[in-house]
Amino acid sequence: MKVSDLIAKILSKHTTCVFGGQGGSVVHLVDSISNNKKLKFIPGQNEQASSIAADAYFRTTGKLGVAIGTSGPGILNLLQGMACSYFDSVPSLYISGAPVINQIRKNKNIRQIGFQEMEVVDLVKPITKYAVLIKNKNKVEEEFTKAINIAFEGRMGPVLIDLPDDLQRDNCSTSSRKKYFIKKKTFKNYNLNKLSNKTVRLIQNSKRPLILIGNGVKLSKSKLLVDKLIKKYKIPYACSWATIDEFNSKDNLNAGTFGVAATRYGNFAIQNSDLLLCLGLRLSSQIIGSNQFNFSPNSKKILVEIDKNELNSHRLPKINIKINSDVRIFLKNLVSKKLVIKKNQFEKWRKKLIFLKSQYPVVEPKHYLKKDYVNPYAFFGELSKNIKKNSILIPDASANLIWCMQGFQRYKDTKVFTALNHSPMGYSVAASVGAFFGNQKKDIISIIGDGSMPMNIQELETIKNYKVNVKIFVINNSGYGLIKQTQETWLKSNYAGVDKKSGLSLPDNKKISKAYGIKSIFLKNNKEMKNKLKKILKMKGPLIIDLNINPRTRVSPKIEFGNPLHDMSPKLPKNELKKIISN
């Protein structure tokens, strides 16, 4: 069997789509993939977008995301999506072409021998779980099986295989191929039962418990176990941005999102709690703020984390119980325990959270009063009400991401995802391609800023070519709104490189849409947006909707550097704040 055919056969067991770009060192592999009836090769305009599409493919389907790039420039372009997958724990496989074996350097002091030769394995080590250059054709099956297993094992993430051109086109026999035998690892924590018992005691002694739900819950498929814990004991919970699509915003036990730019009521819940049970949640600075000691200072904290390295981070607040475990395994153990909760033990706490939620909404009537522009909070308020059931919503980065995560309320089944930790501008347009091939029956909504749009604007051709059913809402505030907000905070509003006046020129989206042959709609103000949004959401994509946003609109509320989570700007009166956070 030809080696490239063998690789295509292996890939077909794990995915249905392979994203990537063509190139001299991958022609045989692309040929084999395109000839495999179980696979479809989706060429992008740029490998960067293909790598993001592969990342989004997993987030949509749960299947391995695969991307291919030729040696040199191709692999460099793949790094963007690879980083997205690494920092968000997304299992994906990247395949890079390499020069023929006898043109690969033996002496690394020589810069380059083969055309477009590059030290790929060393280059990607910081953003992959495993990377290998294969020179022996008989090790291909072994290494691919090993790499894919590693991608899904433990804390998931991307892997890379570097393949010389002549190895791909060579033949290999069944008898000489080395096999990789998967040794199924079971996550062992011999103290788990003891730690679960400690957790039970803390919950039983708590008056204001709060379950913080992180990405580990989603990745470990533990949603039903969390539901069981929440519903049985009526314990309030708060969702990280990664898990807002798992729970209904109307649920009275849902205390909201939390962090530097989230909801006031969610942050109030954190700061008022006396016990935080953190499930698969990386306590990053975007969640806890710049000073970890100001994060829920009066609560005991339990952190359940699959990656033991995260439990030793110097940026953690004080953690009372550290549990190194797969979230699913821990929850199975915990829900099997008998929790003795007194009648109405948490009733006062639940009522307080319901009150805070009603008192401090993110989307307010004032946001609808603007007559000359579309207000982003009003837009996400309307989108929440009108989005079709089972849609896929992909926000991008910067201000449009924050407005979405603050303002969008999940009332019906909607999948929401983006690259949260790497957060590159231009993610959502490229990701819509991966989401489409993950499930072509679903409506896809991409939210992107006018500053982010140019980053992967070339993929409008891919979107048009495959008739991707996506509605791209461009949050057009004539520049980089969030950077402006930062410059206002730190640099006395000395704007540089953020709008036309300060040197940044951005394209006309209407002209861009016309050039790519994609229909576009311009929504001038709130009235137009409200009147037309429902009809727009019923239309088939591709479609670009330009939202006219006031360039002076800012993210609000938001934490200013150094302040604790409960003290968001614009600031509340001190007496009001004191009353809210007093226990």
Side-chain angles (χ1 to χ4, degrees):
M1 179 183 281
K2 188 178 175 181
V3 170
S4 59
D5 289 339
L6 171 62
I7 294 169
K9 185 179 178 181
I10 294 168
L11 295 179
S12 70
K13 296 176 182 178
H14 300 277
T15 189
T16 57
C17 292
V18 177
F19 304 88
Q22 262 290 10
S25 64
V26 293
V27 289
H28 290 277
L29 185 55
V30 172
D31 179 69
S32 293
I33 290 168
S34 64
N35 289 328
N36 188 301
K37 292 180 180 179
K38 294 181 179 179
L39 293 173
K40 186 174 182 66
F41 179 67
I42 313 297
Q45 305 297 311
N46 184 307
E47 292 92 349
Q48 178 188 131
S50 296
S51 68
I52 290 172
D55 174 88
Y57 180 82
F58 168 80
R59 296 180 198 248
T60 309
T61 65
K63 294 179 183 178
L64 182 73
V66 182
I68 294 175
T70 194
S71 58
I75 179 60
L76 279 182
N77 287 338
L78 288 176
L79 295 184
Q80 191 73 282
M82 195 183 299
C84 292
S85 293
Y86 184 74
F87 293 113
D88 281 1
S89 304
V90 169
S92 49
L93 171 64
Y94 291 88
I95 305 171
S96 57
V100 295
I101 293 172
N102 68 8
Q103 291 182 21
I104 293 175
R105 297 169 305 151
K106 294 180 181 179
N107 179 355
K108 289 192 178 183
N109 290 320
I110 298 173
R111 289 191 179 184
Q112 192 182 60
I113 292 177
F115 176 62
Q116 294 183 329
E117 183 188 9
M118 184 171 284
E119 194 59 42
V120 173
V121 171
D122 286 347
L123 184 73
V124 304
K125 272 183 180 178
I127 53 171
T128 55
K129 289 187 69 183
Y130 180 72
V132 63
L133 166 65
I134 303 177
K135 292 184 180 180
N136 183 341
K137 64 184 180 181
N138 294 319
K139 287 192 172 185
V140 166
E141 186 172 6
E142 177 188 21
E143 285 291 355
F144 268 84
T145 307
K146 179 182 178 181
I148 293 169
N149 183 59
I150 289 172
F152 282 94
E153 186 180 73
R155 185 177 184 179
M156 298 188 288
V159 293
L160 176 135
I161 294 177
D162 200 20
L163 287 172
D165 175 43
D166 52 341
L167 183 143
Q168 297 173 45
R169 61 178 184 257
D170 205 348
N171 291 309
C172 60
S173 63
T174 305
S175 59
S176 60
R177 292 191 329 238
K178 291 189 177 183
K179 305 280 186 180
Y180 178 77
F181 297 99
I182 298 172
K183 296 177 183 177
K184 194 169 183 181
K185 291 184 180 179
T186 54
F187 203 102
K188 292 180 180 179
N189 185 326
Y190 297 103
N191 291 318
L192 189 60
N193 196 51
K194 182 180 177 182
L195 294 170
S196 295
N197 286 333
K198 282 187 176 181
T199 301
V200 167
R201 286 195 291 272
L202 285 180
I203 294 173
Q204 288 177 162
N205 293 326
S206 170
K207 292 181 180 178
R208 298 180 303 280
L210 192 65
I211 300 173
L212 302 189
I213 302 170
N215 197 33
V217 169
K218 183 182 281 188
L219 293 174
S220 64
K221 299 177 181 177
S222 302
K223 167 68 164 53
L224 293 178
L225 288 167
V226 174
D227 282 342
K228 191 173 181 179
L229 185 64
I230 290 168
K231 290 175 182 177
K232 188 173 183 180
Y233 301 106
K234 300 288 189 295
I235 302 174
Y237 62 92
C239 299
S240 68
W241 282 4
T243 59
I244 66 164
D245 60 342
E246 297 283 327
F247 299 88
N248 194 311
S249 300
K250 287 183 178 178
D251 182 2
N252 283 335
L253 292 173
N254 188 341
T257 59
F258 51 92
V260 170
T263 60
R264 282 194 195 272
Y265 51 86
N267 283 348
F268 286 150
I270 295 275
Q271 299 299 83
N272 273 282
S273 176
D274 65 4
L275 176 65
L276 297 180
L277 174 57
C278 308
L279 300 175
L281 178 71
R282 191 173 67 85
L283 294 173
S284 69
S285 58
Q286 290 299 305
I287 285 175
I288 66 175
S290 57
N291 185 341
Q292 69 267 39
F293 303 110
N294 286 334
F295 176 72
S296 193
N298 299 315
S299 70
K300 288 184 169 59
K301 301 172 188 68
I302 304 162
L303 178 58
V304 184
E305 172 58 61
I306 195 170
D307 185 347
K308 63 182 179 182
N309 296 304
E310 293 289 348
L311 295 172
N312 298 316
S313 170
H314 72 282
R315 284 283 296 135
L316 283 180
K318 181 184 176 182
I319 305 296
N320 300 84
I321 303 178
K322 294 180 179 180
I323 303 175
N324 181 209
S325 172
D326 182 301
V327 172
R328 186 175 180 82
I329 294 171
F330 167 76
L331 283 171
K332 278 185 176 181
N333 191 298
L334 184 64
V335 297
S336 69
K337 306 286 182 185
K338 186 176 180 181
L339 261 170
V340 182
I341 305 297
K342 296 175 185 175
K343 188 178 180 181
N344 299 326
Q345 184 171 332
F346 307 140
E347 186 63 23
K348 186 178 177 182
W349 174 231
R350 288 192 290 264
K351 284 181 177 178
K352 181 168 186 175
L353 295 181
I354 292 169
F355 169 77
L356 291 172
K357 204 170 178 181
S358 64
Q359 199 73 4
Y360 300 99
V362 173
V363 180
E364 301 180 68
K366 67 179 182 180
H367 295 131
Y368 287 86
L369 299 177
K370 310 296 180 183
K371 294 182 179 179
D372 298 330
Y373 295 95
V374 176
N375 181 275
Y377 289 110
F379 166 68
F380 284 110
E382 290 304 301
L383 184 64
S384 303
K385 291 184 279 187
N386 292 296
I387 193 169
K388 284 186 186 178
K389 188 178 179 181
N390 293 320
S391 294
I392 298 173
L393 175 61
I394 313 174
D396 199 72
S398 200
N400 82 82
L401 169 61
I402 298 172
W403 284 324
C404 179
M405 293 300 186
Q406 286 182 323
F408 181 75
Q409 301 291 296
R410 183 185 181 267
Y411 301 136
K412 55 192 88 167
D413 287 341
T414 306
K415 188 167 193 63
V416 183
F417 71 83
T418 188
L420 288 167
N421 291 301
H422 185 52
S423 201
M425 294 168 69
Y427 177 88
S428 68
V429 167
S432 69
V433 176
F436 174 73
F437 284 102
N439 193 327
Q440 296 187 28
K441 293 181 180 180
K442 293 196 174 187
D443 280 5
I444 301 164
I445 296 173
S446 164
I447 309 289
I448 191 165
D450 59 318
S452 295
M453 189 70 176
M455 297 289 182
N456 274 310
I457 205 165
Q458 75 286 339
E459 296 312 310
L460 291 177
E461 184 62 31
T462 307
I463 287 168
K464 181 192 72 175
N465 183 42
Y466 286 104
K467 298 180 177 63
V468 173
N469 182 25
V470 60
K471 298 168 191 71
I472 302 169
F473 286 90
V474 182
I475 308 293
N476 194 336
N477 57 356
S478 303
Y480 296 163
L482 193 61
I483 300 300
K484 280 186 177 182
Q485 193 166 345
T486 304
Q487 290 170 337
E488 288 160 2
T489 302
W490 291 96
L491 302 170
K492 298 179 180 179
S493 300
N494 181 32
Y495 302 132
V498 289
D499 55 18
K500 183 73 172 177
K501 192 176 179 180
S502 63
L504 174 71
S505 181
L506 295 171
D508 184 323
N509 291 311
K510 185 178 180 180
K511 291 179 180 178
I512 291 290
S513 304
K514 186 177 180 180
Y516 281 102
I518 295 175
K519 186 177 179 180
S520 68
I521 297 171
F522 179 74
L523 297 180
K524 183 180 179 181
N525 52 37
N526 277 334
K527 186 178 179 180
E528 277 193 6
M529 179 272 294
K530 195 171 180 181
N531 289 340
K532 295 181 180 180
L533 183 59
K534 195 170 185 178
K535 183 179 178 182
I536 288 170
L537 293 173
K538 288 180 179 178
M539 297 168 72
K540 285 286 182 184
L543 185 65
I544 295 173
I545 306 97
D546 212 7
L547 299 177
N548 182 35
I549 309 293
N550 189 331
R552 294 185 294 276
T553 303
R554 299 290 179 257
V555 168
S556 176
K558 188 177 184 293
I559 299 291
E560 291 181 6
F561 184 82
N563 288 338
L565 292 189
H566 59 268
D567 195 10
M568 303 184 84
S569 294
K571 292 181 177 291
L572 298 177
K574 287 185 179 180
N575 60 338
E576 184 178 348
L577 201 60
K578 186 177 180 180
K579 186 177 179 181
I580 290 167
I581 62 169
S582 63
N583 295 318

